[in-house]
Amino acid sequence: MLGWASRTPGRLWTVVPLAVTVASVLDQVPLVGVLVPECVTWSYWAPSWLSAWLSGSSAGGAS
């Protein structure tokens, strides 16, 4: 699959976010999450402000 994905830049730019998304979903499953390395999940690559926003925590201020 890696050879197929790296054949053209368009395939690579499609497969990488898809693979990271699938790994992030699988990381949330209790027994499967142990097998997924953290470096392939969105929480590892996302900036801290985006991770805080996605998790729903606010830095103070009424909503």
Side-chain angles (χ1 to χ4, degrees):
M1 179 158 175
L2 183 61
W4 176 85
S6 63
R7 187 170 175 150
T8 64
R11 287 182 186 174
L12 192 60
W13 283 105
T14 302
V15 169
V16 169
L18 182 61
V20 171
T21 301
V22 169
S24 296
V25 169
L26 290 177
D27 189 42
Q28 300 303 312
V29 178
L31 295 176
V32 180
V34 176
L35 302 173
V36 178
E38 187 178 350
C39 66
V40 295
T41 62
W42 282 117
S43 60
Y44 182 80
W45 293 104
S48 61
W49 62 269
L50 182 59
S51 296
W53 182 73
L54 290 174
S55 68
S57 62
S58 62
S63 47

